[in-house]
Amino acid sequence: MKTIDLASSNRSFIQQVEEESGQDVSRCYQCGNCTAGCPMNFAYDLPVNRIMRLIQLGQKDTVLASKSLAYCATCETCTARCPNDIDVATVMDVCRHMARREGKLAVWPVRAFVGSFLKTVETFGRSYEAGTMGMFMAATGRLISDVDLAPAMLSRRKLPFMPHSIKARDEVSAIFKRFREGVHEQK
Amino acid sequence: MSRNEPFGYYPGCSGQGTSAEYDSSTRAVCAELGIVLQDLDDWSCCGSTPAHTVDHCLSTALSARNLVQAGKQGLLDVTTPCPSCLKNLRVALRNMSDEHIGPRAAKLLGGETLKEGHTIKSVMEVIHDQVSAEEIAAKSMRPLTGLKVAPYYGCLMSRPQELMQLGDPENPMVMEELLTAAGAEVLPFPLKVECCGASMGIPLNEAVTRLSGKIVDLAASLGADVIAVACPLCQMNLDLRQGQINRANKTHFKMPVMYYTQLLGLAFALPHNELGLDKLVVDPQPVLNKLADQRRGAAKVEQTEGAA
Ligand code: SF4
Ligand code: SF4
Protein backbone atom coordinates (compact mmCIF):
# COMPACT_ATOMS: atom_id res chain seq x y z
CA MET A 1 0.00 0.00 0.00
CA LYS A 2 1.18 3.46 -0.84
CA THR A 3 1.97 5.54 2.20
CA ILE A 4 1.29 9.23 2.34
CA ASP A 5 3.94 11.59 3.52
CA LEU A 6 2.02 14.17 5.47
CA ALA A 7 5.06 16.39 5.68
CA SER A 8 4.67 16.90 1.95
CA SER A 9 1.24 18.46 2.38
CA ASN A 10 0.91 21.24 -0.12
CA ARG A 11 -1.21 24.05 1.32
CA SER A 12 -1.25 26.11 -1.82
CA PHE A 13 -2.64 23.10 -3.72
CA ILE A 14 -5.60 22.84 -1.34
CA GLN A 15 -6.20 26.54 -1.68
CA GLN A 16 -5.95 26.48 -5.44
CA VAL A 17 -8.45 23.61 -5.74
CA GLU A 18 -10.84 25.43 -3.42
CA GLU A 19 -10.52 28.69 -5.28
CA GLU A 20 -10.90 27.30 -8.77
CA SER A 21 -13.81 25.05 -7.84
CA GLY A 22 -15.50 27.33 -5.34
CA GLN A 23 -15.84 24.28 -3.05
CA ASP A 24 -14.84 23.79 0.55
CA VAL A 25 -13.09 20.40 0.41
CA SER A 26 -12.70 20.24 4.19
CA ARG A 27 -16.46 19.56 4.39
CA CYS A 28 -15.92 16.05 3.02
CA TYR A 29 -16.27 13.52 5.85
CA GLN A 30 -15.49 10.47 3.73
CA CYS A 31 -18.92 8.87 3.67
CA GLY A 32 -18.16 7.30 0.30
CA ASN A 33 -21.47 8.18 -1.37
CA CYS A 34 -19.68 9.68 -4.33
CA THR A 35 -17.71 6.50 -4.94
CA ALA A 36 -20.75 4.30 -4.42
CA GLY A 37 -22.50 6.03 -7.31
CA CYS A 38 -19.50 6.60 -9.56
CA PRO A 39 -19.98 4.65 -12.81
CA MET A 40 -16.30 4.87 -13.74
CA ASN A 41 -14.96 3.54 -10.45
CA PHE A 42 -14.07 0.23 -12.10
CA ALA A 43 -11.44 2.00 -14.19
CA TYR A 44 -10.08 4.28 -11.45
CA ASP A 45 -6.75 3.84 -9.68
CA LEU A 46 -8.08 6.07 -6.88
CA PRO A 47 -11.82 6.15 -6.05
CA VAL A 48 -13.27 9.65 -6.08
CA ASN A 49 -13.71 9.83 -2.28
CA ARG A 50 -10.02 8.95 -1.97
CA ILE A 51 -9.18 11.83 -4.29
CA MET A 52 -11.18 14.12 -2.01
CA ARG A 53 -9.23 12.88 0.99
CA LEU A 54 -5.89 13.31 -0.76
CA ILE A 55 -6.81 16.88 -1.67
CA GLN A 56 -7.60 17.57 1.99
CA LEU A 57 -4.14 16.24 2.78
CA GLY A 58 -2.53 18.42 0.11
CA GLN A 59 -1.18 15.43 -1.83
CA LYS A 60 -0.86 17.29 -5.09
CA ASP A 61 1.44 14.92 -6.98
CA THR A 62 -0.59 11.82 -6.19
CA VAL A 63 -3.85 13.51 -7.18
CA LEU A 64 -2.59 15.04 -10.41
CA ALA A 65 -0.98 11.77 -11.50
CA SER A 66 -4.18 9.76 -10.96
CA LYS A 67 -5.72 8.03 -13.95
CA SER A 68 -9.11 8.69 -12.40
CA LEU A 69 -8.97 12.32 -13.53
CA ALA A 70 -8.81 11.22 -17.14
CA TYR A 71 -11.42 8.48 -16.86
CA CYS A 72 -14.05 10.57 -15.06
CA ALA A 73 -17.08 10.76 -17.34
CA THR A 74 -18.21 14.10 -15.81
CA CYS A 75 -21.63 12.58 -15.14
CA GLU A 76 -22.09 14.51 -11.85
CA THR A 77 -23.56 11.58 -9.94
CA CYS A 78 -21.05 12.31 -7.17
CA THR A 79 -22.21 15.94 -6.97
CA ALA A 80 -25.86 14.95 -6.85
CA ARG A 81 -25.31 12.44 -4.04
CA CYS A 82 -22.87 14.21 -1.74
CA PRO A 83 -24.65 14.78 1.59
CA ASN A 84 -22.47 17.85 2.19
CA ASP A 85 -23.43 19.51 -1.09
CA ILE A 86 -19.88 19.47 -2.36
CA ASP A 87 -19.75 19.82 -6.14
CA VAL A 88 -17.39 16.86 -6.39
CA ALA A 89 -17.51 16.72 -10.20
CA THR A 90 -16.24 20.30 -10.40
CA VAL A 91 -13.43 19.44 -7.99
CA MET A 92 -12.50 16.61 -10.37
CA ASP A 93 -12.75 19.04 -13.29
CA VAL A 94 -10.34 21.58 -11.78
CA CYS A 95 -7.85 18.87 -10.78
CA ARG A 96 -7.98 17.69 -14.38
CA HIS A 97 -7.32 21.24 -15.59
CA MET A 98 -4.30 21.48 -13.28
CA ALA A 99 -2.97 18.09 -14.39
CA ARG A 100 -3.34 19.15 -18.00
CA ARG A 101 -1.69 22.52 -17.43
CA GLU A 102 1.24 20.81 -15.75
CA GLY A 103 1.47 18.20 -18.48
CA LYS A 104 0.65 15.45 -16.01
CA LEU A 105 -2.70 14.19 -17.24
CA ALA A 106 -2.40 10.43 -17.23
CA VAL A 107 -3.96 8.15 -19.85
CA TRP A 108 -2.82 9.16 -23.26
CA PRO A 109 -5.85 7.90 -25.26
CA VAL A 110 -8.18 10.21 -23.35
CA ARG A 111 -5.84 13.14 -23.86
CA ALA A 112 -5.54 12.32 -27.55
CA PHE A 113 -9.30 12.11 -27.94
CA VAL A 114 -9.88 15.48 -26.30
CA GLY A 115 -7.12 17.04 -28.39
CA SER A 116 -8.43 15.60 -31.65
CA PHE A 117 -11.95 16.78 -30.91
CA LEU A 118 -10.90 20.33 -30.12
CA LYS A 119 -8.65 20.48 -33.18
CA THR A 120 -11.63 19.80 -35.46
CA VAL A 121 -13.59 22.54 -33.70
CA GLU A 122 -10.70 24.98 -34.01
CA THR A 123 -10.30 24.21 -37.70
CA PHE A 124 -13.91 24.04 -38.88
CA GLY A 125 -15.94 25.79 -36.19
CA ARG A 126 -17.85 22.56 -35.59
CA SER A 127 -16.87 19.08 -34.53
CA TYR A 128 -17.25 16.16 -36.83
CA GLU A 129 -16.83 12.53 -35.94
CA ALA A 130 -14.79 11.26 -38.87
CA GLY A 131 -12.19 13.98 -38.34
CA THR A 132 -11.95 13.36 -34.62
CA MET A 133 -11.58 9.63 -35.13
CA GLY A 134 -9.04 10.04 -37.92
CA MET A 135 -6.87 12.38 -35.89
CA PHE A 136 -7.25 10.19 -32.83
CA MET A 137 -5.96 7.19 -34.78
CA ALA A 138 -3.12 9.18 -36.29
CA ALA A 139 -2.12 10.52 -32.87
CA THR A 140 -2.28 7.26 -30.94
CA GLY A 141 -1.17 5.01 -33.78
CA ARG A 142 -3.91 2.60 -32.89
CA LEU A 143 -6.81 1.52 -34.97
CA ILE A 144 -9.67 2.29 -32.69
CA SER A 145 -11.94 -0.47 -31.57
CA ASP A 146 -14.66 1.37 -33.43
CA VAL A 147 -13.80 0.47 -37.01
CA ASP A 148 -16.50 -2.19 -36.64
CA LEU A 149 -19.04 0.62 -36.43
CA ALA A 150 -18.14 2.21 -39.74
CA PRO A 151 -20.36 0.06 -42.00
CA ALA A 152 -23.47 0.75 -39.90
CA MET A 153 -22.68 4.45 -39.79
CA LEU A 154 -21.89 4.73 -43.48
CA SER A 155 -24.98 2.87 -44.66
CA ARG A 156 -27.10 5.25 -42.60
CA ARG A 157 -25.18 8.28 -43.84
CA LYS A 158 -24.19 9.08 -40.26
CA LEU A 159 -20.50 9.59 -40.81
CA PRO A 160 -20.00 12.58 -43.06
CA PHE A 161 -16.44 12.61 -44.33
CA MET A 162 -16.52 16.32 -44.96
CA PRO A 163 -16.83 18.64 -42.02
CA HIS A 164 -19.69 21.11 -41.82
CA SER A 165 -17.59 24.13 -41.67
CA ILE A 166 -19.07 27.44 -40.70
CA LYS A 167 -18.60 30.79 -42.42
CA ALA A 168 -17.02 32.55 -39.48
CA ARG A 169 -14.37 29.89 -38.88
CA ASP A 170 -11.86 32.61 -38.06
CA GLU A 171 -14.00 33.76 -35.12
CA VAL A 172 -13.78 30.32 -33.54
CA SER A 173 -10.10 29.78 -34.29
CA ALA A 174 -9.44 33.23 -32.79
CA ILE A 175 -10.96 32.03 -29.49
CA PHE A 176 -8.46 29.16 -29.41
CA LYS A 177 -5.60 31.42 -30.43
CA ARG A 178 -6.35 33.92 -27.66
CA PHE A 179 -6.69 31.03 -25.21
CA ARG A 180 -3.23 29.70 -26.15
CA GLU A 181 -1.75 33.17 -25.90
CA GLY A 182 -3.25 33.44 -22.42
CA VAL A 183 -5.23 36.60 -23.26
CA HIS A 184 -7.78 35.60 -20.58
CA GLU A 185 -5.07 35.59 -17.90
CA GLN A 186 -3.85 39.10 -18.71
CA LYS A 187 -4.87 41.96 -16.46
CA MET B 1 -44.29 34.02 -24.38
CA SER B 2 -46.77 33.46 -27.12
CA ARG B 3 -46.55 30.44 -29.35
CA ASN B 4 -45.88 32.41 -32.52
CA GLU B 5 -42.66 33.93 -31.31
CA PRO B 6 -39.74 31.85 -32.55
CA PHE B 7 -37.23 30.11 -30.34
CA GLY B 8 -33.58 30.41 -31.35
CA TYR B 9 -32.68 26.86 -32.35
CA TYR B 10 -29.23 25.42 -31.69
CA PRO B 11 -29.06 22.01 -33.41
CA GLY B 12 -25.62 20.97 -32.10
CA CYS B 13 -22.87 19.31 -34.14
CA SER B 14 -24.13 15.76 -33.74
CA GLY B 15 -27.43 16.83 -35.29
CA GLN B 16 -25.52 17.21 -38.56
CA GLY B 17 -24.20 13.65 -38.47
CA THR B 18 -24.66 10.93 -35.89
CA SER B 19 -27.99 12.25 -34.61
CA ALA B 20 -29.51 13.61 -37.83
CA GLU B 21 -32.75 11.79 -36.94
CA TYR B 22 -33.00 13.63 -33.61
CA ASP B 23 -32.72 16.94 -35.43
CA SER B 24 -35.24 16.06 -38.15
CA SER B 25 -37.76 14.50 -35.75
CA THR B 26 -37.42 17.47 -33.39
CA ARG B 27 -38.15 19.88 -36.22
CA ALA B 28 -41.11 17.80 -37.43
CA VAL B 29 -42.69 17.44 -33.98
CA CYS B 30 -42.24 21.15 -33.14
CA ALA B 31 -43.76 22.17 -36.48
CA GLU B 32 -46.74 19.90 -35.78
CA LEU B 33 -47.18 21.46 -32.33
CA GLY B 34 -46.90 25.03 -33.61
CA ILE B 35 -43.55 25.69 -31.91
CA VAL B 36 -41.50 27.90 -34.22
CA LEU B 37 -37.77 27.18 -34.36
CA GLN B 38 -35.41 29.63 -36.01
CA ASP B 39 -31.85 28.39 -36.52
CA LEU B 40 -29.04 30.45 -35.02
CA ASP B 41 -27.01 31.95 -37.87
CA ASP B 42 -23.68 30.29 -38.48
CA TRP B 43 -23.66 28.59 -35.08
CA SER B 44 -20.47 26.91 -33.90
CA CYS B 45 -19.60 23.99 -31.62
CA CYS B 46 -20.41 24.55 -27.92
CA GLY B 47 -17.14 22.84 -26.97
CA SER B 48 -18.96 19.77 -25.67
CA THR B 49 -17.33 17.77 -22.86
CA PRO B 50 -13.74 18.05 -24.16
CA ALA B 51 -13.62 21.85 -23.82
CA HIS B 52 -14.81 21.96 -20.22
CA THR B 53 -12.38 19.21 -19.24
CA VAL B 54 -9.62 21.51 -20.56
CA ASP B 55 -10.62 24.94 -19.24
CA HIS B 56 -13.78 26.71 -18.11
CA CYS B 57 -12.97 30.02 -19.81
CA LEU B 58 -12.40 28.27 -23.13
CA SER B 59 -15.65 26.30 -22.95
CA THR B 60 -17.57 29.39 -21.84
CA ALA B 61 -16.25 31.42 -24.77
CA LEU B 62 -17.00 28.67 -27.30
CA SER B 63 -20.58 28.30 -26.09
CA ALA B 64 -21.20 32.01 -25.54
CA ARG B 65 -20.30 32.81 -29.15
CA ASN B 66 -23.63 31.18 -30.04
CA LEU B 67 -25.55 33.34 -27.59
CA VAL B 68 -23.89 36.38 -29.15
CA GLN B 69 -25.21 35.16 -32.50
CA ALA B 70 -28.70 34.66 -31.03
CA GLY B 71 -28.67 38.18 -29.60
CA LYS B 72 -27.74 39.62 -32.98
CA GLN B 73 -30.81 37.91 -34.45
CA GLY B 74 -32.99 39.29 -31.66
CA LEU B 75 -33.56 35.80 -30.27
CA LEU B 76 -33.44 35.75 -26.48
CA ASP B 77 -35.08 32.38 -25.88
CA VAL B 78 -32.79 29.65 -27.11
CA THR B 79 -33.53 25.94 -27.27
CA THR B 80 -31.55 22.84 -28.16
CA PRO B 81 -32.42 19.15 -28.30
CA CYS B 82 -28.98 18.03 -27.04
CA PRO B 83 -28.50 17.86 -23.24
CA SER B 84 -24.75 18.32 -23.53
CA CYS B 85 -25.16 21.51 -25.59
CA LEU B 86 -27.91 22.62 -23.20
CA LYS B 87 -25.64 22.26 -20.23
CA ASN B 88 -22.73 24.02 -21.92
CA LEU B 89 -24.90 26.92 -23.06
CA ARG B 90 -26.42 27.29 -19.59
CA VAL B 91 -23.07 27.15 -17.85
CA ALA B 92 -21.75 29.73 -20.32
CA LEU B 93 -24.70 32.03 -19.66
CA ARG B 94 -24.07 31.74 -15.92
CA ASN B 95 -20.31 32.16 -16.27
CA MET B 96 -20.57 35.23 -18.48
CA SER B 97 -22.09 37.10 -15.54
CA ASP B 98 -19.65 35.58 -13.05
CA GLU B 99 -17.23 38.20 -11.76
CA HIS B 100 -14.21 35.92 -12.19
CA ILE B 101 -14.84 33.90 -15.33
CA GLY B 102 -17.08 36.40 -17.19
CA PRO B 103 -14.50 39.09 -18.00
CA ARG B 104 -11.86 36.48 -18.84
CA ALA B 105 -14.16 34.59 -21.22
CA ALA B 106 -15.16 37.91 -22.79
CA LYS B 107 -11.50 38.50 -23.59
CA LEU B 108 -11.38 35.19 -25.44
CA LEU B 109 -14.47 36.31 -27.36
CA GLY B 110 -12.65 39.42 -28.50
CA GLY B 111 -14.77 41.67 -26.31
CA GLU B 112 -18.22 40.52 -27.48
CA THR B 113 -20.87 40.61 -24.75
CA LEU B 114 -24.29 39.05 -24.30
CA LYS B 115 -27.69 40.70 -24.39
CA GLU B 116 -29.68 40.73 -21.15
CA GLY B 117 -32.50 38.28 -20.62
CA HIS B 118 -31.48 35.11 -22.43
CA THR B 119 -33.18 31.86 -21.50
CA ILE B 120 -31.97 28.45 -22.59
CA LYS B 121 -34.20 25.40 -22.51
CA SER B 122 -34.16 21.89 -23.81
CA VAL B 123 -36.65 21.22 -26.57
CA MET B 124 -38.25 18.73 -24.17
CA GLU B 125 -38.98 21.48 -21.65
CA VAL B 126 -40.23 23.80 -24.39
CA ILE B 127 -42.73 21.18 -25.56
CA HIS B 128 -43.73 20.44 -21.97
CA ASP B 129 -44.20 24.16 -21.17
CA GLN B 130 -46.00 25.11 -24.36
CA VAL B 131 -48.25 22.15 -25.02
CA SER B 132 -50.68 20.53 -22.60
CA ALA B 133 -51.09 16.78 -22.20
CA GLU B 134 -54.61 17.15 -23.65
CA GLU B 135 -53.25 18.82 -26.77
CA ILE B 136 -50.68 16.06 -27.21
CA ALA B 137 -53.40 13.43 -26.79
CA ALA B 138 -55.58 15.26 -29.33
CA LYS B 139 -52.69 15.38 -31.83
CA SER B 140 -52.03 11.66 -31.38
CA MET B 141 -53.86 10.28 -34.42
CA ARG B 142 -52.05 7.00 -33.83
CA PRO B 143 -51.57 6.80 -30.06
CA LEU B 144 -48.77 4.61 -28.76
CA THR B 145 -51.28 2.38 -26.96
CA GLY B 146 -49.77 -0.80 -25.54
CA LEU B 147 -46.18 0.21 -26.29
CA LYS B 148 -43.95 -0.43 -23.28
CA VAL B 149 -41.34 2.31 -23.10
CA ALA B 150 -38.28 2.49 -20.83
CA PRO B 151 -37.55 6.22 -20.43
CA TYR B 152 -33.81 6.94 -20.24
CA TYR B 153 -32.57 10.49 -19.60
CA GLY B 154 -28.88 9.82 -19.12
CA CYS B 155 -26.70 11.69 -16.72
CA LEU B 156 -26.81 15.19 -18.21
CA MET B 157 -30.48 16.13 -18.41
CA SER B 158 -31.22 16.46 -14.70
CA ARG B 159 -27.87 17.17 -13.02
CA PRO B 160 -26.88 19.41 -11.37
CA GLN B 161 -30.35 20.36 -10.24
CA GLU B 162 -29.86 24.14 -9.84
CA LEU B 163 -28.60 24.33 -13.40
CA MET B 164 -30.76 21.83 -15.26
CA GLN B 165 -34.03 22.33 -13.35
CA LEU B 166 -35.86 19.30 -14.60
CA GLY B 167 -37.50 18.46 -11.28
CA ASP B 168 -36.12 15.74 -9.03
CA PRO B 169 -32.58 15.12 -10.35
CA GLU B 170 -32.83 11.43 -9.46
CA ASN B 171 -36.31 10.99 -10.85
CA PRO B 172 -37.29 13.46 -13.59
CA MET B 173 -40.77 12.81 -15.06
CA VAL B 174 -41.07 15.15 -18.06
CA MET B 175 -40.43 12.51 -20.73
CA GLU B 176 -42.90 10.18 -19.01
CA GLU B 177 -45.58 12.87 -19.08
CA LEU B 178 -45.10 13.55 -22.80
CA LEU B 179 -45.06 9.89 -23.83
CA THR B 180 -47.96 8.97 -21.55
CA ALA B 181 -49.99 11.78 -23.10
CA ALA B 182 -49.22 10.19 -26.49
CA GLY B 183 -50.69 6.92 -25.23
CA ALA B 184 -47.58 4.91 -24.34
CA GLU B 185 -47.22 2.70 -21.30
CA VAL B 186 -44.14 4.22 -19.69
CA LEU B 187 -42.37 1.85 -17.32
CA PRO B 188 -40.75 2.91 -14.05
CA PHE B 189 -37.07 2.73 -15.02
CA PRO B 190 -34.63 2.77 -12.09
CA LEU B 191 -31.55 3.43 -14.25
CA LYS B 192 -33.06 6.44 -15.97
CA VAL B 193 -30.41 8.94 -14.86
CA GLU B 194 -27.42 6.58 -14.71
CA CYS B 195 -24.41 7.23 -16.93
CA CYS B 196 -24.16 5.37 -20.28
CA GLY B 197 -20.37 5.68 -20.48
CA ALA B 198 -20.58 9.05 -22.22
CA SER B 199 -17.72 9.93 -24.54
CA MET B 200 -15.53 7.12 -23.18
CA GLY B 201 -16.68 4.93 -26.10
CA ILE B 202 -13.57 5.75 -28.08
CA PRO B 203 -10.79 5.89 -25.46
CA LEU B 204 -12.20 3.26 -23.06
CA ASN B 205 -14.77 1.09 -24.79
CA GLU B 206 -15.34 -1.05 -21.69
CA ALA B 207 -16.97 1.93 -19.99
CA VAL B 208 -19.76 1.82 -22.55
CA THR B 209 -20.16 -1.93 -22.83
CA ARG B 210 -20.48 -2.17 -19.03
CA LEU B 211 -22.66 0.83 -18.29
CA SER B 212 -24.85 0.86 -21.39
CA GLY B 213 -24.97 -2.92 -21.13
CA LYS B 214 -26.70 -2.63 -17.74
CA ILE B 215 -29.24 -0.21 -19.17
CA VAL B 216 -30.19 -2.42 -22.13
CA ASP B 217 -30.25 -5.43 -19.84
CA LEU B 218 -32.66 -3.85 -17.37
CA ALA B 219 -34.95 -2.49 -20.09
CA ALA B 220 -35.17 -5.98 -21.62
CA SER B 221 -35.84 -7.69 -18.30
CA LEU B 222 -38.64 -5.20 -17.57
CA GLY B 223 -40.25 -6.21 -20.85
CA ALA B 224 -39.72 -2.88 -22.61
CA ASP B 225 -40.39 -2.73 -26.36
CA VAL B 226 -38.15 0.28 -26.78
CA ILE B 227 -35.81 2.57 -24.85
CA ALA B 228 -36.73 6.23 -25.29
CA VAL B 229 -33.82 8.67 -25.15
CA ALA B 230 -33.18 12.41 -25.34
CA CYS B 231 -29.39 12.53 -25.73
CA PRO B 232 -27.39 11.88 -28.93
CA LEU B 233 -24.49 10.36 -27.03
CA CYS B 234 -26.74 7.99 -25.07
CA GLN B 235 -28.51 7.04 -28.29
CA MET B 236 -25.23 6.26 -30.00
CA ASN B 237 -23.93 4.22 -27.07
CA LEU B 238 -27.14 2.20 -26.70
CA ASP B 239 -27.99 1.78 -30.39
CA LEU B 240 -24.87 1.94 -32.58
CA ARG B 241 -22.78 0.23 -29.90
CA GLN B 242 -25.38 -2.43 -29.00
CA GLY B 243 -23.38 -4.88 -31.12
CA GLN B 244 -20.22 -4.11 -29.11
CA ILE B 245 -22.25 -4.46 -25.91
CA ASN B 246 -23.57 -7.85 -27.00
CA ARG B 247 -20.11 -9.07 -27.97
CA ALA B 248 -18.48 -7.89 -24.73
CA ASN B 249 -21.21 -9.24 -22.46
CA LYS B 250 -22.19 -12.31 -24.50
CA THR B 251 -25.77 -11.13 -24.81
CA HIS B 252 -28.10 -11.03 -27.82
CA PHE B 253 -30.21 -7.95 -27.32
CA LYS B 254 -32.02 -6.30 -30.20
CA MET B 255 -33.53 -3.50 -28.19
CA PRO B 256 -34.71 -0.55 -30.33
CA VAL B 257 -33.46 2.79 -29.00
CA MET B 258 -35.48 5.74 -30.23
CA TYR B 259 -35.52 9.46 -29.54
CA TYR B 260 -38.64 10.52 -27.64
CA THR B 261 -39.30 12.88 -30.54
CA GLN B 262 -39.43 9.93 -32.95
CA LEU B 263 -42.01 8.26 -30.70
CA LEU B 264 -44.10 11.44 -30.48
CA GLY B 265 -43.80 11.75 -34.27
CA LEU B 266 -45.14 8.21 -34.70
CA ALA B 267 -48.09 9.08 -32.47
CA PHE B 268 -48.74 12.22 -34.52
CA ALA B 269 -48.61 10.06 -37.70
CA LEU B 270 -45.77 12.14 -39.15
CA PRO B 271 -43.99 10.73 -42.25
CA HIS B 272 -41.33 8.15 -41.37
CA ASN B 273 -38.65 9.87 -43.45
CA GLU B 274 -39.01 13.06 -41.38
CA LEU B 275 -38.59 10.96 -38.27
CA GLY B 276 -35.43 9.37 -39.65
CA LEU B 277 -36.41 5.83 -38.67
CA ASP B 278 -34.03 4.48 -41.35
CA LYS B 279 -31.11 5.99 -39.40
CA LEU B 280 -31.55 3.69 -36.42
CA VAL B 281 -29.09 0.81 -36.20
CA VAL B 282 -31.20 -1.65 -34.19
CA ASP B 283 -34.26 -2.21 -36.37
CA PRO B 284 -37.33 -0.43 -34.93
CA GLN B 285 -39.70 -2.63 -37.01
CA PRO B 286 -40.92 -4.63 -33.97
CA VAL B 287 -42.10 -1.33 -32.46
CA LEU B 288 -43.98 -0.43 -35.64
CA ASN B 289 -45.45 -3.93 -35.85
CA LYS B 290 -46.68 -3.81 -32.28
CA LEU B 291 -48.35 -0.45 -32.85
CA ALA B 292 -49.95 -1.73 -36.08
CA ASP B 293 -51.20 -4.88 -34.30
CA GLN B 294 -52.72 -2.76 -31.54
CA ARG B 295 -54.48 -0.60 -34.11
CA ARG B 296 -55.84 -3.64 -35.96
CA GLY B 297 -57.00 -5.10 -32.65
CA ALA B 298 -58.71 -1.86 -31.72
CA ALA B 299 -60.33 -1.57 -35.16
CA LYS B 300 -61.68 -5.12 -34.85
CA VAL B 301 -63.19 -4.39 -31.47
CA GLU B 302 -64.83 -1.29 -32.91
CA GLN B 303 -66.17 -3.28 -35.87
CA THR B 304 -67.67 -6.02 -33.74
CA GLU B 305 -69.09 -3.46 -31.36
CA GLY B 306 -70.51 -1.57 -34.34
CA ALA B 307 -72.06 -4.78 -35.71
CA ALA B 308 -73.58 -5.75 -32.37
S1 SF4 C 1 -18.48 12.90 -12.33
FE1 SF4 C 1 -16.68 11.59 -12.50
S2 SF4 C 1 -16.12 11.15 -10.37
FE2 SF4 C 1 -18.21 11.95 -10.32
S3 SF4 C 1 -19.52 10.11 -10.38
FE3 SF4 C 1 -19.27 10.81 -12.51
S4 SF4 C 1 -17.51 9.66 -13.31
FE4 SF4 C 1 -17.46 9.47 -11.05
S1 SF4 D 1 -20.07 12.06 -1.01
FE1 SF4 D 1 -19.25 14.07 -0.37
S2 SF4 D 1 -18.81 13.82 1.83
FE2 SF4 D 1 -19.12 11.75 1.00
S3 SF4 D 1 -17.03 11.06 0.49
FE3 SF4 D 1 -17.87 11.96 -1.36
S4 SF4 D 1 -17.23 14.12 -1.31
FE4 SF4 D 1 -16.94 13.29 0.73
Side-chain angles (χ1 to χ4, degrees):
Chain A
M1 198 187 142
K2 208 167 170 292
T3 49
I4 291 169
D5 173 13
L6 286 178
S8 71
S9 175
N10 184 331
R11 286 292 319 158
S12 69
F13 172 62
I14 308 175
Q15 239 172 23
Q16 202 183 349
V17 171
E18 294 198 331
E19 246 173 57
E20 288 189 27
S21 66
Q23 304 301 309
D24 178 359
V25 295
S26 69
R27 294 223 314 260
C28 168
Y29 53 38
Q30 287 294 301
C31 69
N33 260 4
C34 48
T35 295
C38 174
M40 297 304 295
N41 193 50
F42 76 91
Y44 281 11
D45 52 358
L46 294 170
V48 51
N49 71 304
R50 208 61 209 133
I51 299 245
M52 292 296 292
R53 185 74 186 122
L54 290 165
I55 297 172
Q56 289 176 336
L57 297 174
Q59 300 298 306
K60 178 174 179 182
D61 295 341
T62 316
V63 170
L64 297 195
S66 167
K67 282 190 208 164
S68 311
L69 298 182
Y71 282 139
C72 164
T74 71
C75 72
E76 310 221 7
T77 310
C78 46
T79 298
R81 297 185 188 166
C82 174
N84 290 319
D85 286 330
I86 304 172
D87 185 347
V88 189
T90 297
V91 172
M92 290 292 277
D93 226 18
V94 303
C95 289
R96 192 160 39 231
H97 296 167
M98 279 183 214
R100 188 178 293 277
R101 282 199 302 263
E102 303 196 4
K104 292 208 179 99
L105 191 65
V107 193
W108 162 230
V110 175
R111 215 168 56 211
F113 172 71
V114 168
S116 310
F117 180 95
L118 292 177
K119 195 74 205 157
T120 63
V121 177
E122 175 165 1
T123 314
F124 305 110
R126 290 183 192 161
S127 64
Y128 83 116
E129 289 86 359
T132 304
M133 287 190 189
M135 266 188 255
F136 176 83
M137 288 192 275
T140 56
R142 58 177 216 186
L143 206 58
I144 49 178
S145 51
D146 280 348
V147 278
D148 59 323
L149 302 179
M153 292 177 89
L154 289 176
S155 66
R156 288 166 185 79
R157 299 183 305 284
K158 280 195 158 188
L159 199 62
F161 275 102
M162 288 308 291
H164 298 267
S165 98
I166 70 168
K167 279 182 251 141
R169 262 182 288 185
D170 49 331
E171 280 180 35
V172 177
S173 57
I175 294 176
F176 281 94
K177 187 161 167 283
R178 294 187 199 108
F179 175 69
R180 268 195 300 271
E181 290 168 357
V183 171
H184 58 303
E185 306 292 5
Q186 290 159 14
K187 290 276 170 250
Chain B
M1 83 181 259
S2 98
R3 269 298 174 79
N4 311 328
E5 246 179 84
F7 285 85
Y9 181 63
Y10 181 81
C13 298
S14 64
Q16 314 284 297
T18 45
S19 70
E21 69 272 39
Y22 195 18
D23 182 57
S24 65
S25 59
T26 295
R27 290 176 192 271
V29 163
C30 285
E32 179 69 16
L33 294 173
I35 295 168
V36 185
L37 303 178
Q38 185 181 335
D39 287 39
L40 299 189
D41 287 336
D42 210 32
W43 55 270
S44 49
C45 176
C46 69
S48 189
T49 307
H52 89 77
T53 63
V54 171
D55 187 273
H56 289 152
C57 287
L58 177 64
S59 60
T60 297
L62 288 173
S63 285
R65 179 186 172 272
N66 295 293
L67 298 174
V68 172
Q69 294 291 98
K72 286 182 183 158
Q73 286 168 268
L75 297 165
L76 289 180
D77 298 315
V78 172
T79 186
T80 178
C82 170
S84 172
C85 301
L86 174 74
K87 187 171 159 192
N88 280 321
L89 293 170
R90 280 197 176 160
V91 169
L93 182 61
R94 188 184 67 189
N95 283 351
M96 287 301 283
S97 52
D98 179 278
E99 52 174 329
H100 300 296
I101 306 182
R104 294 165 65 208
K107 283 187 190 157
L108 294 183
L109 276 170
E112 299 262 20
T113 49
L114 301 189
K115 288 223 167 101
E116 292 285 314
H118 276 294
T119 70
I120 302 157
K121 286 190 173 160
S122 65
V123 171
M124 190 189 279
E125 289 168 278
V126 168
I127 297 175
H128 189 254
D129 291 352
Q130 301 276 327
V131 189
S132 68
E134 292 72 34
E135 286 172 283
I136 290 181
K139 284 271 179 202
S140 298
M141 314 285 295
R142 293 186 182 166
L144 306 174
T145 318
L147 193 69
K148 290 197 171 69
V149 182
Y152 176 63
Y153 291 80
C155 63
L156 287 167
M157 291 282 289
S158 63
R159 285 196 294 261
Q161 186 177 20
E162 331 75 73
L163 190 71
M164 302 310 270
Q165 300 186 359
L166 200 73
D168 182 348
E170 300 278 358
N171 190 20
M173 289 300 287
V174 177
M175 190 175 358
E176 280 87 333
E177 287 174 27
L178 297 179
L179 293 173
T180 306
E185 181 185 332
V186 188
L187 305 168
F189 193 55
L191 295 181
K192 64 174 153 179
V193 295
E194 291 297 311
C195 174
C196 67
S199 56
M200 288 291 156
I202 294 179
L204 183 68
N205 197 247
E206 189 192 351
V208 172
T209 55
R210 265 183 190 244
L211 303 175
S212 286
K214 272 203 285 191
I215 292 158
V216 177
D217 208 348
L218 181 67
S221 64
L222 291 173
D225 298 308
V226 57
I227 300 177
V229 294
C231 169
L233 196 51
C234 299
Q235 204 281 340
M236 183 157 107
N237 283 339
L238 294 168
D239 182 44
L240 178 66
R241 295 185 189 278
Q242 207 172 110
Q244 292 179 342
I245 293 173
N246 280 332
R247 269 194 304 282
N249 303 340
K250 304 199 171 42
T251 49
H252 301 91
F253 295 118
K254 285 188 185 140
M255 174 64 66
V257 183
M258 296 169 73
Y259 290 102
Y260 78 98
T261 43
Q262 291 180 304
L263 290 169
L264 288 179
L266 283 179
F268 299 165
L270 299 178
H272 286 190
N273 61 338
E274 285 178 29
L275 302 180
L277 298 185
D278 58 327
K279 298 258 179 193
L280 299 171
V281 176
V282 177
D283 189 0
Q285 195 58 44
V287 170
L288 304 178
N289 292 346
K290 181 154 186 188
L291 290 173
D293 284 349
Q294 293 280 353
R295 273 199 302 280
R296 269 195 294 276
K300 243 190 216 135
V301 172
E302 246 170 57
Q303 254 176 19
T304 38
E305 276 176 0

